[in-house]
Amino acid sequence: MSRIQPPGRPFDDPELCASRAELARALRTFLPAEAVLAREEEVRPYECDGLSVYRQTPLLVVLPRDVAEVRQVMRLCHQRRVPVVARGAGTGLSGGALPCGEGIVLSLARLDRILALEPEALLARVQPGVRNLAISEAAAAHGLYYAPDPSSQIACTIGGNVAENSGGVHCLKYGLTVHNVLAIKLVSAAGELIELGGEALDGPGYDLLALYIGSEGMLGITVEVTVRLLPRPPLARALLAAFDDVGRAGAAVGEIIAAGILPAGLEMMDGPAIRAAEDFIGAGYPVEAAAILLCELDGTEAEVAAQVEAVETLLARAGATEVRVSRDETERARFWQGRKSAFPAVGRISPDYYCMDGTIPRRALPEVLRRTAELAAEHDLAVANVFHAGDGNLHPLILFDANRPGELERTEALGARLLELCVEVGGTITGEHGVGVEKLGQMCVQFSARELAQFHAVKSAFDPAGLLNPGKGVPTPRRCSEYRQLPSPAHPHRH
Amino acid sequence: MSRIQPPGRPFDDPELCASRAELARALRTFLPAEAVLAREEEVRPYECDGLSVYRQTPLLVVLPRDVAEVRQVMRLCHQRRVPVVARGAGTGLSGGALPCGEGIVLSLARLDRILALEPEALLARVQPGVRNLAISEAAAAHGLYYAPDPSSQIACTIGGNVAENSGGVHCLKYGLTVHNVLAIKLVSAAGELIELGGEALDGPGYDLLALYIGSEGMLGITVEVTVRLLPRPPLARALLAAFDDVGRAGAAVGEIIAAGILPAGLEMMDGPAIRAAEDFIGAGYPVEAAAILLCELDGTEAEVAAQVEAVETLLARAGATEVRVSRDETERARFWQGRKSAFPAVGRISPDYYCMDGTIPRRALPEVLRRTAELAAEHDLAVANVFHAGDGNLHPLILFDANRPGELERTEALGARLLELCVEVGGTITGEHGVGVEKLGQMCVQFSARELAQFHAVKSAFDPAGLLNPGKGVPTPRRCSEYRQLPSPAHPHRH
């Protein structure tokens, strides 16, 4: 990762200082002074997002208050060829909001209003800085909610969710951001306002809405999002199944799906994750288990009862050593508590951890879990697994100590190897965290040169000057040839 | 429509004959002679698709047998700058497969094999010429099916479904083609093989898969499609509700959806459509009704029972004069029989009919139905309405007689007016039929010049020479300025 990233120039580099002062002056002709942050202590909080191993101070941080101001900022930056990195809450995990040292960070935090809530039409029109959970809170009075629920949903914004096509525990049944957004208004690299999508299921012309969602701020600046709202299901119950073998738990996942049951959530934790969570939160998890599955079923009472019965039978037949069914909301919340606190729980038992994100076909679960353990042993590192099993979205947590010489490098190597394992079994290098700067190298493994060229061509169709979030998402051919020359074990199967 | 389309050169134009002979020779260096159709009587069957008011003979028709041959054809055409129009079963309704007089028609009919069916992974890998229904037939042995069911599903191919992002009666619950396709292999304009998507819910890079689906053959030639299969629901029941007022039926649709019920299908027919269908097929429809709703609910027995009860109550409260619930599969089939035969039924009562396709927000249903009737009266034409009410996808059928002077022109004018009405209420000019050549004019109403320019830029990112299905889908700026100069009543609200 960081081995390839060239170090940026220091904040007080004289040339940077001069262009900073000049650009700030130009921005302040139409923005209030306080909306342009130019001092080092002001811009420092923007130097990284949730992937804190990468840090870079931006030239300036700009905080417009409305769409008109966003357009003015973009027109100015376009005129002067200044790179622009959009930023929501900065909770991203792949470095997608990492600043560019010679460009501005455009924070959408002040565009934080819910513009309309239409319960009959099952939709809400919101500004990009609205927090994910705030939408569901506003819709709750009408019995509605916004389905995608990334684990950062208290903090993360809908604009960031659009950038990363965020998912969450419930996306197996309710889909990712792309399945729950109806329309977007964006400001183009040149400062023009463009509308994508609409309330209809389909629209004429190319599906630029779907193309835009998940494009990591590289095609435009999101200034308004119309989201689909769903009626809150009348009932949800959770099952907790213990297994004495990780592979058997993985196989059970495939059997539930193949039986035609679509759980609202189907999560898996392995032994190390179970024990870390239990030590931390005391959710009553079976600490001797090699793996647990958490399966949530929602719908009407009759529907849930029928599905609970079917899943119980399937789990028992798949070799579960114990199956519990939540009796009430308190118990359901307790089942989830351990899962929800798994990341901080792992943080307690290891000085550092690195959360990976890859996706595999469900049928490959047992094999990938086995090979993950083998690779961890080869790299002399421990891995805890906590993930969205139902949709094959893995989140191996590599435990390490950055203060021990060589451990960060071994962690990076293992992380890269695990992502490439996902590609080998027919999966992908990201499930919901995006590529950002973190996975540029693995993009060279996932895609052919022809496919990467196609991505660049599409990018140019939106941003010919390459000013929007440069250096993210899609590697240059040069970057790929550098990556391929890296010493093993970053990608040992190539050597 | 046809007033703008310039007439193509005749098939026996000497210059065309020369290039035809030359190109046929080049193609036959790698294709068997019978795979290159060059005689007028051979190419005549390809001169139009389901929208038969537009006709044009192609230079040649080519029928490759595998991906390698498709690539060779594309490379040759790319080298020689020959336009290529891909064709599936030719059942499209917007002229998307209308040939180009100076280019080839590339028929995918011979790529008709199901390559793999994986019941555990819930997917099938098929060639583009496989018929939509053939996938469900092959999957039936495993209790699975392919959900999108356009009314042409017996004949239409999955490649064509991808081109038009086809829907069908069940897309309200199960989505359009874009929601049911996992991956696509395509041959680019330059003859390269590109893979889009994969088995995972999300993938890295821009979502080119969604961009490609619905792109009407303008971005590439589809040579393989991986579709998602779903478990066949254990039970389905249908409700038939009669209303003495079209607006009340429209309002009932919104109330069902707002109550959080997602029917498998929710269709509406108005008086003229009901009576035409009943005369034709005798399904037992209430012929005095101003409108009927057909609502299908599927799932487990408990789930369906609960939903049937809820919908019955809602329909009664919404003012239905009669509600019937299917008692068995025979009765459910009879309820649907009238709906399914509505188009041919209307064909019996009118010498000609023109099927429109537009989408509106559900809340606008009562208003749009009222204004449709007013506009029909203004144009002195009758309209029958049969449509996917649940997702607001209208299909007004304009009844006319092409032999009466002026009626075709009045029909075209009314059709354009109805599509623009959809745009006025916040909807779109197509629900599932695509733009093709039919709706190029209305694209100028739907989109701003900036948005159309963005479409052209994306097109260029795939097909810089503009060889793939030229003249379809996205109008040129010139076409839009011509359209805007047309005399009313093509777009009376502009004058």
Side-chain angles (χ1 to χ4, degrees):
Chain A
M1 318 188 307
S2 44
R3 285 171 293 174
I4 293 177
Q5 183 79 356
R9 286 188 284 176
F11 189 80
D12 55 2
D13 174 279
E15 203 183 313
L16 282 187
C17 286
S19 40
R20 178 178 302 121
E22 216 280 298
L23 185 63
R25 247 194 316 277
L27 285 162
R28 285 180 178 139
T29 61
F30 56 84
L31 288 177
E34 51 81 29
V36 183
L37 310 183
R39 291 203 305 274
E40 185 161 10
E41 68 274 20
E42 290 175 329
V43 306
R44 182 69 68 195
Y46 296 87
E47 70 179 357
C48 70
D49 61 12
L51 182 75
S52 55
V53 293
Y54 294 94
R55 289 172 188 274
Q56 171 64 54
T57 45
L59 192 63
L60 290 168
V61 176
V62 179
L63 293 123
R65 294 160 303 182
D66 56 31
V67 176
E69 287 185 354
V70 173
R71 295 189 62 186
Q72 284 179 297
V73 170
M74 293 308 296
R75 277 198 295 260
L76 183 75
C77 289
H78 187 250
Q79 238 166 39
R80 301 181 173 218
R81 295 293 185 257
V82 175
V84 178
V85 177
R87 183 183 174 99
T91 54
L93 292 170
S94 59
L98 180 75
C100 174
E102 299 175 17
I104 67 163
V105 163
L106 178 58
S107 165
L108 280 313
R110 288 181 173 175
L111 277 76
D112 63 351
R113 281 186 309 128
I114 294 179
L115 301 170
L117 193 85
E118 301 181 23
E120 309 75 35
L122 298 178
L123 61 83
R125 220 154 38 78
V126 306
Q127 290 191 312
V130 171
R131 289 175 307 109
N132 174 298
L133 194 60
I135 303 174
S136 291
E137 285 167 355
H142 308 280
L144 302 172
Y145 77 116
Y146 175 65
D149 55 348
S151 56
S152 57
Q153 71 174 144
I154 298 177
C156 67
T157 63
I158 191 72
N161 291 179
V162 164
E164 301 300 338
N165 191 17
S166 305
V169 164
H170 293 93
C171 67
L172 173 63
K173 182 165 180 178
Y174 297 104
L176 301 166
T177 302
V178 70
H179 306 109
N180 291 278
V181 165
L182 296 166
I184 285 175
K185 286 186 188 160
L186 65 94
V187 173
S188 73
E192 289 165 304
L193 192 66
I194 299 183
E195 298 190 34
L196 307 178
E199 282 181 50
L201 202 50
D202 187 29
Y206 305 117
D207 190 352
L208 301 188
L209 179 68
L211 174 71
Y212 183 80
I213 295 172
S215 64
E216 307 197 44
M218 299 184 292
L219 303 185
I221 307 294
T222 306
V223 291
E224 190 181 306
V225 185
T226 303
V227 299
R228 186 194 307 278
L229 301 176
L230 293 178
R232 178 75 67 185
L235 180 69
R237 290 178 79 187
L239 287 90
L240 189 162
F243 288 83
D244 56 14
D245 178 83
V246 172
R248 253 199 295 281
V253 169
E255 280 157 35
I256 291 170
I257 304 294
I261 296 162
L262 196 57
L266 183 49
E267 302 282 307
M268 185 163 159
M269 294 169 72
D270 70 0
I274 296 168
R275 286 181 284 280
E278 190 56 26
D279 279 354
F280 182 39
I281 211 94
Y285 284 0
V287 290
E288 287 82 29
I292 61 170
L293 287 182
L294 281 166
C295 178
E296 183 156 295
L297 301 160
D298 66 9
T300 61
E301 203 163 326
E303 197 179 340
V304 172
Q307 292 199 356
V308 165
E309 199 189 314
V311 173
E312 257 190 296
T313 311
L314 273 167
L315 288 168
R317 203 162 39 190
T321 53
E322 185 193 354
V323 181
R324 302 181 205 163
V325 183
S326 67
R327 278 157 302 189
D328 51 32
E329 277 302 285
T330 315
E331 192 167 15
R332 184 173 75 89
R334 195 163 54 244
F335 282 6
W336 280 109
Q337 215 172 15
R339 165 67 182 90
K340 287 191 171 162
S341 64
F343 285 26
V346 165
R348 279 175 78 234
I349 60 164
S350 173
D352 299 286
Y353 69 90
Y354 183 29
C355 172
M356 307 303 301
D357 167 52
T359 310
I360 58 169
R362 272 185 300 267
R363 63 172 171 279
L365 265 178
E367 180 197 350
V368 168
L369 292 172
R370 184 179 51 71
R371 290 177 65 186
T372 297
E374 289 169 8
L375 286 165
E378 276 175 31
H379 288 75
D380 195 20
L381 288 163
V383 169
N385 285 291
V386 187
F387 60 98
H388 313 308
D391 45 316
N393 184 187
L394 305 180
H395 289 312
L397 298 171
I398 307 177
L399 314 185
F400 72 104
D401 182 348
N403 289 325
R404 281 200 221 134
E407 276 212 2
L408 176 60
E409 290 69 24
R410 287 213 310 284
T411 298
E412 290 179 347
L414 174 58
R417 192 64 198 87
L418 290 177
L419 293 180
E420 294 178 20
L421 172 59
C422 291
V423 177
E424 282 168 39
V425 300
T428 70
I429 58 168
T430 172
E432 53 186 6
H433 296 176
V435 174
V437 284
E438 182 196 25
K439 294 172 179 171
L440 283 170
Q442 286 78 40
M443 287 291 281
C444 313
V445 179
Q446 179 95 60
F447 294 105
S448 69
R450 177 67 194 78
E451 287 157 346
L452 293 172
Q454 188 60 60
F455 286 141
H456 285 298
V458 167
K459 160 80 170 172
S460 293
F462 283 80
D463 176 21
L467 297 176
L468 293 171
N469 214 4
K472 310 285 173 64
V474 185
T476 57
R478 189 178 147 188
R479 169 91 192 213
C480 282
S481 64
E482 283 171 1
Y483 181 80
R484 294 201 180 92
Q485 280 155 26
L486 276 185
S488 62
H491 39 110
H493 67 287
R494 298 192 163 272
H495 297 278
Chain B
M1 314 189 308
S2 44
R3 284 171 294 175
I4 293 177
Q5 183 78 359
R9 285 190 283 178
F11 189 81
D12 55 2
D13 172 279
E15 203 183 312
L16 282 188
C17 286
S19 40
R20 177 178 303 120
E22 216 282 297
L23 186 63
R25 247 195 314 278
L27 285 162
R28 285 180 177 137
T29 60
F30 55 83
L31 289 176
E34 50 81 28
V36 182
L37 310 183
R39 291 203 305 275
E40 185 162 9
E41 69 274 21
E42 289 174 330
V43 306
R44 182 68 68 196
Y46 296 86
E47 71 179 354
C48 70
D49 61 12
L51 181 75
S52 55
V53 292
Y54 294 93
R55 289 173 188 272
Q56 172 63 55
T57 45
L59 193 65
L60 289 168
V61 176
V62 179
L63 294 124
R65 294 160 303 182
D66 56 30
V67 177
E69 287 184 354
V70 172
R71 294 188 62 187
Q72 283 179 298
V73 171
M74 292 309 294
R75 277 198 296 261
L76 183 74
C77 290
H78 188 250
Q79 240 167 38
R80 301 181 173 218
R81 296 293 185 260
V82 175
V84 177
V85 178
R87 184 183 173 99
T91 54
L93 291 170
S94 59
L98 180 76
C100 173
E102 300 177 16
I104 66 163
V105 163
L106 178 59
S107 166
L108 281 312
R110 287 180 174 177
L111 277 77
D112 63 351
R113 281 184 310 127
I114 294 179
L115 301 170
L117 193 86
E118 300 182 25
E120 308 78 32
L122 299 178
L123 62 83
R125 220 155 37 80
V126 307
Q127 290 190 314
V130 171
R131 289 175 306 107
N132 174 299
L133 195 61
I135 302 175
S136 291
E137 285 167 355
H142 307 281
L144 301 173
Y145 77 116
Y146 175 65
D149 54 347
S151 58
S152 56
Q153 72 174 144
I154 298 175
C156 66
T157 63
I158 190 74
N161 291 178
V162 164
E164 301 299 338
N165 192 18
S166 306
V169 164
H170 293 93
C171 67
L172 173 63
K173 182 165 181 179
Y174 296 105
L176 301 165
T177 302
V178 70
H179 306 109
N180 290 279
V181 164
L182 297 165
I184 284 174
K185 286 186 188 160
L186 65 96
V187 173
S188 74
E192 290 166 303
L193 192 65
I194 298 183
E195 298 191 33
L196 307 178
E199 282 181 50
L201 201 50
D202 187 29
Y206 304 117
D207 190 352
L208 301 188
L209 179 68
L211 175 71
Y212 183 81
I213 294 172
S215 64
E216 307 197 41
M218 299 184 291
L219 302 184
I221 308 293
T222 306
V223 292
E224 191 180 305
V225 184
T226 303
V227 299
R228 186 194 305 280
L229 301 175
L230 293 179
R232 178 73 68 185
L235 180 68
R237 291 178 78 187
L239 287 89
L240 189 162
F243 289 83
D244 55 15
D245 178 83
V246 172
R248 254 199 295 281
V253 169
E255 281 158 34
I256 292 170
I257 304 294
I261 296 163
L262 197 57
L266 183 49
E267 301 281 308
M268 186 165 160
M269 295 170 70
D270 70 0
I274 297 168
R275 285 180 284 281
E278 190 56 27
D279 279 354
F280 182 37
I281 211 95
Y285 282 1
V287 290
E288 286 82 28
I292 60 171
L293 288 182
L294 282 166
C295 178
E296 183 154 295
L297 301 160
D298 65 9
T300 61
E301 203 162 326
E303 197 179 340
V304 172
Q307 292 200 356
V308 165
E309 200 188 313
V311 173
E312 258 190 295
T313 310
L314 274 167
L315 287 168
R317 206 162 36 189
T321 53
E322 184 193 354
V323 181
R324 303 181 203 163
V325 183
S326 69
R327 279 157 303 189
D328 51 31
E329 278 301 286
T330 316
E331 192 167 15
R332 184 173 75 88
R334 195 161 55 243
F335 282 7
W336 280 110
Q337 214 170 15
R339 165 65 183 89
K340 287 190 171 162
S341 63
F343 285 25
V346 165
R348 278 175 77 233
I349 60 164
S350 174
D352 299 287
Y353 70 90
Y354 183 30
C355 172
M356 307 304 299
D357 167 53
T359 310
I360 58 169
R362 271 185 300 267
R363 65 173 169 279
L365 264 178
E367 180 198 349
V368 169
L369 291 172
R370 185 179 50 73
R371 288 179 64 187
T372 298
E374 289 168 9
L375 287 166
E378 276 173 33
H379 288 76
D380 195 20
L381 288 164
V383 169
N385 284 291
V386 187
F387 61 98
H388 312 309
D391 45 318
N393 186 186
L394 305 181
H395 289 312
L397 299 171
I398 307 175
L399 315 185
F400 71 104
D401 182 348
N403 288 326
R404 280 200 223 137
E407 277 213 1
L408 176 60
E409 291 70 23
R410 286 213 311 284
T411 298
E412 289 178 348
L414 174 58
R417 192 64 198 87
L418 291 176
L419 293 180
E420 294 178 19
L421 172 60
C422 291
V423 177
E424 280 167 40
V425 299
T428 71
I429 58 168
T430 170
E432 54 188 4
H433 296 178
V435 173
V437 283
E438 182 197 26
K439 293 171 179 172
L440 282 172
Q442 286 75 41
M443 286 291 280
C444 313
V445 178
Q446 178 95 63
F447 293 105
S448 70
R450 177 66 192 81
E451 287 157 347
L452 293 172
Q454 188 59 61
F455 286 141
H456 284 298
V458 168
K459 160 79 168 173
S460 293
F462 283 80
D463 176 22
L467 298 175
L468 292 171
N469 214 4
K472 310 285 173 65
V474 184
T476 57
R478 188 177 148 191
R479 169 90 192 213
C480 282
S481 65
E482 284 172 1
Y483 181 78
R484 294 201 181 92
Q485 282 156 23
L486 277 184
S488 64
H491 39 110
H493 68 289
R494 298 189 164 273
H495 299 277

